[in-house]
Amino acid sequence: MRSQLPVDDGPAPHGVAPWRDPRLSPTERADALIPLMSLEEKLAQLVGVWVGAQDSGEGVAPHQSDMIDGAVPWDTLVQHGLGQLTRPFGTAPVDPVLGARSLAASQAQIVAASRFGIPAQVHEECLTGFAAWRATVYPTPLSWGASFDPELVEEMAGRIGRSMRAAGVHQGLAPVLDVTRDYRWGRTEETIGEDPYLVGTTGAAYVRGLERAGIVATVKHFAGYSASRGGRNLAPVSMGPRELADTILPPFEMALRLGGARSVMHSYAEIDGLPVAADEGLLTGLLRDGWGFTGTVVADYFAVRFLQTLHRVAGHAGEAAGLALRAGIDVELPTVDTFGAPLLAAVRSGAVDEALVDRALRRVLTQKAELGLLDEDWAELPDDVDQLRLDDEAGRDVAVRLARESVVLLRNTGVLPIAGSGRVALVGPVADDPLAMLGCYSFPNHVGVQYPEHGLGLEIPSLRDELARLVPRLTHEPGCTVSGDDTSGIAAAVAAATAADVCVLAVGDRSGMFGRGTSGEGCDASDLRLPGVQGELVRAVLGTGTPVVLVLMTGRPYALGAEFDSAAAVVQAFFLGQRGGQALAEVLTGAVNPSGRLPVSVPRDAGGLPATYLSPPLGRPSEVSSVDPTPAYPFGHGLSYTTFEWSDAGLVGATGALPERAGEPSPGVVGPVAAPTRWAVDGEVTARITIRNTGSRAGTEVVQLYLHDPVAQTTRPVVRLIGYTRVPLEPGATAQVTFGVPADVASFTGLGGQRIVESGDVELRFGRSSAETTATLALRLTGTTRQVGPGRELLTSVRVEPAPAVRDAG
C-alpha cells in the first residue's frame, strides 16, 4: 500500500513521477526526488530503527529505547519516512514465516505514514548465515580461510543471500575483512586469516555470492580494527601508513572491485589518534575519490555517538553527527540518534551544511532505487512467504562440505585415522557441547542464549553425538569446563584416557559477546594459553601414556608449546558450524581426508605478541633478541592422510635467463637457485608445477605460491602469499597447476607513499606452507620502477588440468 498523503512529485511524463520512473537511472531518480523533500524527510532516510519482528505477524517492536535515552514512539519515527530497519529477525527468536509477515506489516505502516511512501531498507547480520532463528549456521570466517576454497564460500554466501531475500531483507552486514594482526583479539574468529591475499580473495567470493542473490553486501570494518593495541576491542591502533596500505586495505579493495560490494561499514578504530568515523581522508579521499566507490557507507552500531562519548573529539551529539557526515558516513545505525534531532538542529543553525545531507541522501536513494524500493509496484510481502524455510538439506550440505574442507590436521604420528574397533575415550569440555561449534554472530550464541525457553531452533549434533555413530566403544568425560577453575573432573578424565586405546581430547572456546565467552566480540585474551584449567587437563591426559589426539575447537589459535609435543596427533577446527560435529568425526575416523590449511599461524609461545607470518627479517628469530617468534605451526600448514609429490616447477614462455651465474639460495631455500629470468615491471609471468598423489587414497593438496623480495626500498615480509588453489587427486593421479602472475601483485608502498612495482630481483616460491618451500623460481623485474594505482591487477590467475602423459622413451 502506497502513501495516500498529498505530494508534489513534479512533472510526470508517461504518467509517473520521475523518481518512480524505472526507465531513468537510479541516480537520476534520486536527483529528481531530493529537491521535493523537506529537511526532516531527508534526515529520516539517513537513520535506522532497531526493531524486532513480533511472532504475531502483526508488525515490529522498536527496541531503540533499550539502546539510547529519549526514544521516540514508532508513529512519530516513521511520519517522515525511514531509511533502515535494523535486524527484525536478529533481535529475538521468531518463526521465520511470522517474522516475514510482521516485517511486511511494518513496511506497510512506513509506506502509508510518510508523504513519499518509500519503504525502509532492511539489514541483518549474516556472517555465519542469516542471523535468524531456525536458519542454517555455517562455519565461521576462520574456517572459510582454512578451506582455501573461495568457490565454496561463494556458494555458501549465495544460499545465505537467497534466504535473506526471501524473508524481505535487503542488506547483509558481512563479510568481515579485517586481517588478523593479534590473535588475542576476541573477534579473531570473525576474520578470514592473517594474509591479505587470502582474506581478499575469499572475502570477494563471499561478496559475489551475496550480491548475486540480490543482497547488498556490507564489507567491514573499514579499516584497522583488528590491529588494536594489546588485542583489546576498540583499543587505539598504532599503525603506520604502509602497514595500513599494504596489509589492511587490500582485502577491501578486492571486495569492492572483484566482488561488487555496495556498502561499507566503517571501523570503530582510531588510527594514530584519528577516529575512522571522522576520517574524511579515508572514507572519502581514499574510498570514493581514490577507489571510485559509489555505494553507501554505514556507521557501525553507535559509532557516531562514540565520537562524543568514547573518542571525545566531539563536544555534543550534533557536532559528532557533523563530523561523521563530513567524513563520509551516509547512514547512522542501528537506530536514530545523532542523525535525528541533533543533526536537524545543526543544519538549521548553519553548523552543518545541508549539502552534506543531500550528498548522503543521494547515495541512500540511489541504492533504494537499485533495490526496487522506489518502484510503484513494490510489494511488502515476498512471494511464497508461507513456504519460507531458512534451514534445509541443501544449506546443511554446503555447511558440512565447508566444515570438512576447513579441518586442519597439524600433526599425525600415525594414530589417525582412528580404527573403529578400538576403545576410544572422548575427553574435554567442548566434546559434547553443540554451541562449541558456533561463532559469536551465529543466532544461537548471539541472541538465542538470552531466550533459552525457545531452544536452539536447529539440530546441532556435538562431536560426541557424531563420533558415537562411528566408534562403537566410546566413553566420555568432560574433565572440566571451558573457563572455570574447577579441576575435580580431571581425575575421571585421566582414568577414562588410561583405560582407552586412544584418547580424543577436545578443548577450546565457548563463543560469546562482551565477556560472556572466551572468544567473540569483547572477549579478548591477555595471552594465548587455553582458557580456564584446560591446559592442566591436557597435561594430565598427555601424561597417561595413552596416544592422544588433541582436537582444538577454537575461535583463535592457542599456543602449542613443547608440553604439547607428546600428542600423537593435533587437529585444529575453527567453529565449524551446525554440522561441525559430523565433519570432525568423519576426519578423525578417516571417512574424510583432511585438506584444511592454517589461515593463521599457531604460536609456540603464549606471549611475545603480536606476531604473524607477514614479518620482515627482523620480525623473525635473530641474535639481537632472546624471544623466538617461530610458530609451532606456520600459516598455510596442513597435513593429509595421503602423500603428494611436487615436481617440474618452471616458468612458461619466459623471455629467458639473464646472462649471469646463479647466486647462493636465499635463506630458507634448499638447493641452488637458477639465474633470474626477466619479468617486465608491467608484464606477466607464468609459473607451473606438477602435483602427483603418491599415496593409496584420494586427497586434496593445496598449492601455495609466495613472493620473496630480497632487497627493496622499504622492508618487506620475507614471504607473502600471491596465489593458491586446491588440487583434488585420486591415488596415482597427476595434475599440472599453472599460475599467471601479473607484476602488479609484486607492488608495495614505496618511500614516497605511492604503490610501486620496483625493478630488481624477486623469487616465486611454491610451498606447502609459508615455511616449507618446495621449489623456487628466480626472476628479475626489469624496466623503470612503475607506479600503480587503483586500476592495477589484483589477482594471480590459476588453472588446474591433468598433467600431460609422459611418452615412453623406448
Side-chain angles (χ1 to χ4, degrees), residues 313-388:
V313 296
H316 52 80
E319 187 178 358
L323 285 174
L325 199 63
R326 190 172 297 110
I329 293 175
D330 303 314
V331 179
E332 182 181 31
L333 297 179
T335 203
V336 58
D337 184 15
T338 71
F339 275 26
L343 183 54
L344 178 67
V347 175
R348 287 264 164 83
S349 71
V352 174
D353 190 344
E354 188 172 350
L356 294 176
V357 173
D358 290 348
R359 182 181 70 171
L361 180 61
R362 180 173 292 104
R363 297 163 184 161
V364 168
L365 293 178
T366 297
Q367 192 162 96
K368 284 195 170 187
E370 292 171 351
L371 292 167
L373 296 178
L374 301 189
D375 294 352
E376 190 71 44
D377 60 354
W378 174 84
E380 297 96 345
L381 198 64
D383 295 336
D384 302 322
V385 68
D386 289 331
Q387 305 302 314
L388 182 62

Side-chain angles (χ1 to χ4, degrees), residues 599-653:
V600 288
S601 306
V602 174
R604 181 166 289 274
D605 191 341
L609 300 168
T612 72
Y613 98 99
L614 287 176
S615 297
L618 285 178
R620 301 295 180 98
S622 72
E623 297 178 354
V624 298
S625 175
S626 60
V627 175
D628 183 352
T630 303
Y633 301 99
F635 173 88
H637 173 75
L639 304 176
S640 171
Y641 293 149
T642 189
T643 54
F644 298 95
E645 175 186 83
W646 298 41
S647 63
D648 301 328
L651 298 169
V652 181

Side-chain angles (χ1 to χ4, degrees), residues 31 51 71 88 92 135 166 225 227 299 343 470 475 520 553 562 597 611 619 637 646 769:
D31 286 340
V51 296
Y225 189 28
L343 183 54
L470 302 174
T475 59
M553 298 162 59
R597 300 294 185 266
H637 173 75
W646 298 41
S769 73

Side-chain angles (χ1 to χ4, degrees), residues 512-553:
M513 301 284 289
F514 301 108
R516 296 191 295 271
T518 59
S519 174
E521 185 172 2
C523 298
D524 310 314
S526 58
D527 60 40
L528 294 179
R529 290 175 292 186
L530 284 166
V533 296
Q534 291 183 88
E536 189 173 338
L537 173 66
V538 172
R539 288 187 289 273
V541 172
L542 288 175
T544 64
T546 299
V548 173
V549 178
L550 180 62
V551 178
L552 296 139
M553 298 162 59

Side-chain angles (χ1 to χ4, degrees), residues 16-33:
V16 63
W19 61 274
R20 287 210 186 277
D21 189 345
R23 290 168 295 187
L24 298 180
S25 72
T27 302
E28 289 173 326
R29 295 172 71 180
D31 286 340
L33 178 57

Side-chain angles (χ1 to χ4, degrees), residues 712-730:
Q713 58 181 255
T714 65
T715 61
R716 304 295 303 135
V718 175
V719 292
R720 62 181 177 93
L721 186 72
I722 60 168
Y724 63 89
T725 190
R726 293 174 59 89
V727 184
L729 291 170
E730 294 296 319

